[in-house]
Amino acid sequence: MIKAKNLVKEYKDFKLDVSFEIPAGYITGFIGKNGAGKSTTIKLLLGLIKPTGGSIEVFGIDSCKLNDDTKQNLGVTLADSSFANSMNVKQINNILKLMYKEYDEEFFMSKCKAFGLPLDKKIEDFSTGMKAKVRVLIALSHKAKLLVMDEPTSGLDVEARKEILDMLRDYMTEDEERAIIITSHISTDLEGLCDDVYLIDGGKIILHEETDVIQSSYGTLKVSDSQYEKIDKNYLIKAKKENFGYVCLTNQKQYYLENYPDVVIENASIDDLILNLAGGNRV
Amino acid sequence: MKGLFLKDLYLIKSNIGSVFILVALSIWFAVVMENPIFALFYITLISVTTGIGTLSRDERENSLNFFLTLPVTVKSYVKEKFAFCISVGSAALLFLTAVITILKFGFGFNYVMSEILTTVLFAFLFLFIATSLMLAFQFKFGVERMRTIGLTICGLIAAAAYILSKFTDDSTIMGFANKLLGLNKAMLAAAVFAISLVVLLCSVKYSIKTLSAKFS
């Protein structure tokens, strides 16, 4: 569904250089620290900026050449951009009706009502959670084949986040040919939702892994200085010096569980990957 | 494009109080002045400015990035803005013409109808040119810089008018005006219309190029 090959975007003080492929039926997460290149990747994917080099295709079309028809199949939530705050839900509904051929007014309005979103109230008077729900519903309202969600759950409480993530799961269940790309700072959201994740740091993809594999094979080892000297480092990806010794990241958790019973080994979360891969020293 | 058009109408609706005051002011100008020429040009200018205000709102609320993820391209966005400003300007101009006609035939105002119709025709041409120039500048420079540029242009026009009145005697200006009026009016209108159309098309093309460059 999306194919990025040697995609490069250069700025004065930043260079993004990535290659990735997102097939249909996948929910893919893009994670990384602020300024890592996630939003630049999303903008390139949406054709909002042009690459300096390489190519990125969406539905087999150069992203900069996406026309009105191909955009019918895109549903997008941007973190900092949407309809004007002076509008209300009814007005947005009327606009979307004219924009999309496959617009599902019944779905949009019924979901708005179900979420308790006032139809006549200005968006500027909505809470952060309400605004986020409207943004996601807009993206879901026209049976898009690809959803691109930039920080859809940012600033929301647990309940609102759960409701949005459930909507995204339902959206995928309806049609397996769909795909979602999502960026989020809240790693637990991605762990429970994504099939695979790309970790971006300094404009480069430093890890691409299925979430199941992360949960089953990745682990963090907490070792003292003396343990660190003795331990087999062949399966350690990164090590970070701490007060008590080292925190090491491995993608062969089972090996260390079997061979080093005295070492503290914990399951690695996406946060651990970010902290270690984007910060630690390569072993 | 229909969706964007409706979106812009909603933006104007959210500011309906100011629009109402400006329209009322135009009608007042038509009533108190013997000749409604100023009112017709005034309503044309403020309606174009109101239309362009929707672009400022899109810019200020950072909505354009989002619109370009909808079934909207840079090309269709720019074309819609031009179509919207010209539609709003035309509607306002026709509305005031209707009001003036009612004032003349319903309330006995002493307007010369042929003069009014000629003014309306030229106001339409002014609408084309004002839209072309102001939108092209707005796409190029954005809201903040556009404000400074607008004030500078107004200042330059005022300065030019002052210099013209200071160093040219009235007979020269009147002579030029009479010469213009002496020309075949249909030919003159056609020529100005052709020029306006060329300016409009060039402005659309230039604005598309400018906005495309912002997304590179």
Side-chain angles (χ1 to χ4, degrees):
Chain A
M1 198 168 265
I2 299 170
K3 203 173 180 180
K5 205 174 167 189
N6 303 321
L7 183 65
V8 175
K9 181 70 187 174
E10 274 185 272
Y11 294 106
K12 268 182 192 168
D13 50 356
F14 178 77
K15 184 182 177 187
L16 179 88
D17 187 353
V18 292
S19 294
F20 59 90
E21 207 166 322
I22 290 156
Y26 264 64
I27 304 180
T28 300
F30 277 80
I31 54 170
K33 294 188 283 192
N34 288 336
K38 302 188 297 286
S39 293
T40 306
T41 309
I42 295 286
K43 281 181 184 168
L44 284 163
L45 191 158
L46 295 170
L48 295 175
I49 49 173
K50 286 177 188 157
T52 315
S55 65
I56 178 159
E57 289 180 354
V58 181
F59 310 125
I61 300 164
D62 184 335
S63 72
C64 290
K65 290 177 184 158
L66 289 174
N67 56 28
D68 294 1
D69 282 339
T70 45
K71 284 181 179 178
Q72 295 278 343
N73 290 315
L74 268 180
V76 181
T77 300
L78 297 178
D80 57 351
S81 177
S82 190
F83 283 108
N85 279 327
S86 60
M87 288 189 186
N88 61 41
V89 170
K90 269 187 188 168
Q91 291 174 335
I92 290 173
N93 173 58
N94 291 337
I95 294 167
L96 293 174
K97 241 192 294 186
L98 294 173
M99 290 260 187
Y100 291 107
K101 291 174 192 161
E102 298 270 325
Y103 180 63
D104 191 343
E105 184 178 8
E106 203 188 317
F107 166 85
F108 183 75
M109 293 306 269
S110 63
K111 283 284 181 191
C112 284
K113 282 175 193 161
F115 284 136
L117 302 172
L119 304 183
D120 291 313
K121 203 171 168 181
K122 285 180 180 179
I123 300 291
E124 66 194 4
D125 297 327
F126 280 21
S127 68
T128 313
M130 284 169 151
K131 284 180 190 170
K133 281 173 192 165
V134 173
R135 282 204 291 265
V136 173
L137 283 175
I138 290 169
L140 294 174
S141 66
H142 52 278
K143 300 180 172 68
K145 285 199 174 98
L146 173 66
L147 287 191
V148 181
M149 318 246 98
D150 191 12
E151 303 282 353
T153 55
S154 181
L156 303 187
D157 59 42
V158 183
E159 198 182 339
R161 268 165 44 210
K162 186 185 175 301
E163 282 174 332
I164 285 178
L165 296 176
D166 286 345
M167 267 201 290
L168 297 180
R169 284 190 195 96
D170 292 344
Y171 163 86
M172 283 303 281
T173 316
E174 277 172 29
D175 184 350
E176 287 180 359
E177 288 303 299
R178 292 171 171 174
I180 300 177
I181 292 180
I182 183 168
T183 70
S184 179
H185 280 95
I186 306 159
S187 56
T188 48
D189 285 354
L190 298 184
E191 276 165 353
L193 181 75
C194 295
D195 296 302
D196 61 344
V197 290
Y198 284 89
L199 174 55
I200 305 184
D201 187 51
K204 292 197 182 319
I205 291 172
I206 55 172
L207 179 83
H208 172 219
E209 197 63 270
E210 305 235 333
T211 0
D212 288 348
V213 176
I214 293 172
Q215 279 156 8
S216 63
S217 304
Y218 281 71
T220 51
L221 284 62
K222 290 177 178 167
V223 292
S224 63
D225 290 338
S226 59
Q227 282 176 318
Y228 183 73
E229 291 305 316
K230 289 175 201 160
I231 207 165
D232 181 357
K233 297 182 185 66
N234 282 327
Y235 305 109
L236 295 181
I237 304 168
K238 281 238 172 166
K240 206 174 179 183
K241 186 82 181 89
E242 297 286 354
N243 290 340
F244 58 85
Y246 287 88
V247 173
C248 310
L249 182 74
T250 178
N251 57 357
Q252 298 290 334
K253 182 174 67 185
Q254 202 54 36
Y255 170 78
Y256 290 99
L257 279 170
E258 286 167 8
N259 295 293
Y260 299 92
D262 52 333
V263 169
V264 178
I265 302 172
E266 292 170 354
N267 290 335
S269 64
I270 288 180
D271 279 342
D272 293 321
L273 294 185
I274 297 172
L275 286 170
N276 284 288
L277 290 176
N281 303 313
R282 187 158 284 282
V283 176
Chain B
M1 200 191 269
K2 279 188 260 175
L4 282 179
F5 205 92
L6 182 63
K7 183 268 300 174
D8 284 342
L9 281 178
Y10 284 140
L11 287 181
I12 287 188
K13 196 183 159 200
S14 72
N15 218 5
I16 197 73
S18 314
V19 173
F20 181 77
I21 291 168
L22 291 169
V23 171
L25 205 60
S26 306
I27 295 172
W28 185 73
F29 284 140
V31 170
V32 297
M33 290 179 172
E34 274 182 29
N35 194 325
I37 290 176
F38 176 76
L40 286 164
F41 277 95
Y42 176 75
I43 201 166
T44 308
L45 187 64
I46 58 152
S47 55
V48 172
T49 312
T50 306
I52 289 172
T54 61
L55 175 58
S56 310
R57 286 280 293 276
D58 290 348
E59 201 180 304
R60 209 168 49 234
E61 303 210 20
N62 194 25
S63 300
L64 186 53
N65 270 345
F66 174 68
F67 294 147
L68 293 179
T69 70
L70 303 175
V72 172
T73 57
V74 166
K75 215 173 183 176
S76 57
Y77 180 80
V78 170
K79 282 182 180 172
E80 185 275 336
K81 279 292 171 216
F82 276 87
F84 184 75
C85 289
I86 287 172
S87 304
V88 170
S90 304
L93 198 51
L94 291 175
F95 169 76
L96 190 62
T97 309
V99 171
I100 288 167
T101 310
I102 291 167
L103 286 175
K104 178 173 170 57
F105 294 107
F107 296 90
F109 276 68
N110 195 22
Y111 301 140
V112 181
M113 221 43 212
S114 63
E115 204 176 281
I116 289 167
L117 291 176
T118 310
T119 308
V120 170
L121 178 71
F122 279 96
F124 265 113
L125 300 175
F126 172 68
L127 166 68
F128 273 50
I129 291 175
T131 303
S132 307
L133 296 179
M134 288 166 80
L135 268 178
F137 274 121
Q138 180 97 6
F139 276 116
K140 176 75 181 169
F141 299 108
V143 186
E144 289 307 319
R145 286 168 72 191
M146 180 62 193
R147 214 168 280 159
T148 318
I149 289 166
L151 286 171
T152 312
I153 289 173
C154 287
L156 287 175
I157 290 171
Y162 175 76
I163 291 167
L164 203 67
S165 65
K166 199 84 180 162
F167 299 104
T168 322
D169 58 52
D170 285 354
S171 61
T172 315
I173 298 169
M174 289 311 289
F176 179 70
N178 285 333
K179 217 172 190 179
L180 268 184
L181 290 171
L183 291 173
N184 183 323
K185 278 184 183 147
M187 286 275 284
L188 183 66
V192 178
F193 180 74
I195 293 168
S196 310
L197 205 62
V198 170
V199 172
L200 182 76
L201 292 174
C202 290
S203 176
V204 172
K205 213 172 166 186
Y206 176 76
S207 301
I208 291 171
K209 204 175 155 189
T210 306
L211 194 60
S212 299
K214 283 186 183 174
F215 287 93
S216 62

